[in-house]
């Protein structure tokens, strides 16, 4: 109520924004999110008080890093997300190829004794590895507190916009599942590039967002990885 009231009267009395300072120290994630959104709107209108309080609310000097990490970071760039996507696919693909070769070699000794048993083992192992591959591909962002393999390397993270906590396995599954829907997958690929917060349609439904925790420029290696990723996304959309 206080946030709403101040935002309604801030045009007449810009200094009222400072009255929201105690709210910035609240440990309620929903309150923080509402405050930041209001401060961003007021800051865009040119209110210097809102600009200063917004910087403070994002964690500078208040020790809010464990309360609402999302307030200290910026949304992830589209290019970094493409790199993370490429890295995820590369790591998971080669991880399971290595496992497949290893398991096949281990069971190959059975072929010397009984080729029929080896054939059955080969089929069952292949089916299990395929299931594990798909499961990991869809739930990868549930690891490392919402980071996944590529996102962890880039310093990105998927968080709940209301609490700042990392994306879980179930939400990760739902986020990846939309890429399997015709037409929707194209929209999902474009949305992060045009949405103000970089959210996809599924992010808006789940209340999640991809953020950049480190805010560091990409390294030459990451730029190199970005090239095939951009080509893949471009060909998918076109």
């Amino acid at each position: 109520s206080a946030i709403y009231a101040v935002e309604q009267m801030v045009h007449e009395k810009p200094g009222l924004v400072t009255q929201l300072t105690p709210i910035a120290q609240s440990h309620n994630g929903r309150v923080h999110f509402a405050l930041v959104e209001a401060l961003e709107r007021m800051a865009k209108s040119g209110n210097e008080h809102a600009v200063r309080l917004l910087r403070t609310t994002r964690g500078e000097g208040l020790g809010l890093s464990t309360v609402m990490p999302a307030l200290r970071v910026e949304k992830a760039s589209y290019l970094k997300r493409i790199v993370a996507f490429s890295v995820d696919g590369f790591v998971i693909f080669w991880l399971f190829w290595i496992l497949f070769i290893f398991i096949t070699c281990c069971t190959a000794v059975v072929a010397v004794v009984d080729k029929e048993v080896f054939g059955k083992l080969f089929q069952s192992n292949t089916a299990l590895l395929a299931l594990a591959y798909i499961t990991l591909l869809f739930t990868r962002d549930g690891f490392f507190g919402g980071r996944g393999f590529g996102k962890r390397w880039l310093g990105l993270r998927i968080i709940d916009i209301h609490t700042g906590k990392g994306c879980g396995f179930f939400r990760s599954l739902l986020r990846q599942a939309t890429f399997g829907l015709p037409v929707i997958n194209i929209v999902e690929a474009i949305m992060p590039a045009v949405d103000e917060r970089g959210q996809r349609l599924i992010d808006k439904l789940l209340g999640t967002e991809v953020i950049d925790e480190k805010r560091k420029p990409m390294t030459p290696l990451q730029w190199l990885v970005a090239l095939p990723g951009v080509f893949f996304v471009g060909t998918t959309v076109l």
Side-chain angles (χ1 to χ4, degrees):
S1 299
I3 296 170
Y4 176 79
V6 169
E7 189 173 5
Q8 295 303 307
M9 297 185 292
V10 73
H11 297 293
E12 299 178 3
K13 299 181 179 180
L16 278 177
V17 176
T18 58
Q19 300 300 313
L20 297 176
T21 302
I23 298 178
Q25 302 179 46
S26 169
H27 285 215
N28 187 304
R30 291 180 179 273
V31 172
H32 273 296
F33 181 69
L35 177 62
V36 168
E37 282 202 321
L39 289 175
E40 285 178 343
R41 288 192 293 268
M42 289 185 281
K44 286 181 180 179
S45 66
N47 190 299
E48 292 298 326
H49 300 286
V51 172
R52 287 194 292 270
L53 185 55
L54 183 61
R55 290 172 181 167
T56 303
T57 306
R58 280 177 169 154
E60 298 177 13
L62 290 179
L64 299 176
S65 59
T66 58
V67 179
M68 190 62 179
L71 301 181
R72 301 182 294 107
V73 295
E74 300 174 351
K75 76 171 186 178
S77 73
Y78 190 56
L79 186 59
K80 280 190 175 183
R81 292 177 66 167
I82 291 178
V83 176
F85 181 83
S86 302
V87 171
D88 283 338
F90 179 84
V91 171
I92 295 173
F93 177 81
W94 284 107
L95 173 63
F96 279 89
W97 261 114
I98 292 171
L99 284 174
F100 176 77
I101 294 172
F102 175 75
I103 293 174
T104 301
C105 291
C106 289
T107 56
V109 294
V110 181
V112 178
V113 181
D114 193 328
K115 292 183 178 181
E116 185 177 346
V117 173
F118 171 74
K120 292 180 180 179
L121 283 174
F122 181 82
Q123 290 179 355
S124 61
N125 290 336
T126 302
L128 287 173
L129 280 174
L131 179 61
Y133 174 82
I134 294 173
T135 301
L136 182 58
L137 194 64
F138 276 70
T139 61
R140 63 185 185 273
D141 288 324
F143 293 97
F144 311 117
R147 292 177 178 88
F149 305 108
K151 289 182 176 63
R152 191 178 187 186
W153 185 44
L154 271 294
L156 308 183
R157 189 185 187 196
I158 303 175
I159 53 98
D160 182 314
I161 60 177
H162 301 298
T163 65
K165 295 182 179 180
C167 171
F169 293 105
F170 183 65
R171 284 185 177 181
S172 175
L173 175 64
L174 294 178
R175 291 184 80 255
Q176 303 307 323
T178 57
F179 283 125
L181 302 175
V183 181
I184 297 296
N185 56 0
I186 297 177
V187 176
E188 288 287 77
I190 297 174
M191 279 288 289
V194 298
D195 185 75
E196 184 179 4
R197 301 184 68 91
Q199 290 178 299
R200 291 161 42 195
L201 293 176
I202 191 65
D203 285 322
K204 294 182 181 296
L205 291 174
L206 297 178
T208 53
E209 181 180 357
V210 182
I211 60 173
D212 191 338
E213 293 185 301
K214 294 184 178 179
R215 289 182 284 182
K216 293 182 179 179
M218 289 171 54
T219 65
L221 178 59
Q222 291 169 347
W223 275 105
L224 184 63
V225 175
L227 296 178
V230 170
F231 175 77
F232 174 77
V233 173
T235 52
T236 301
V237 173
L238 296 176

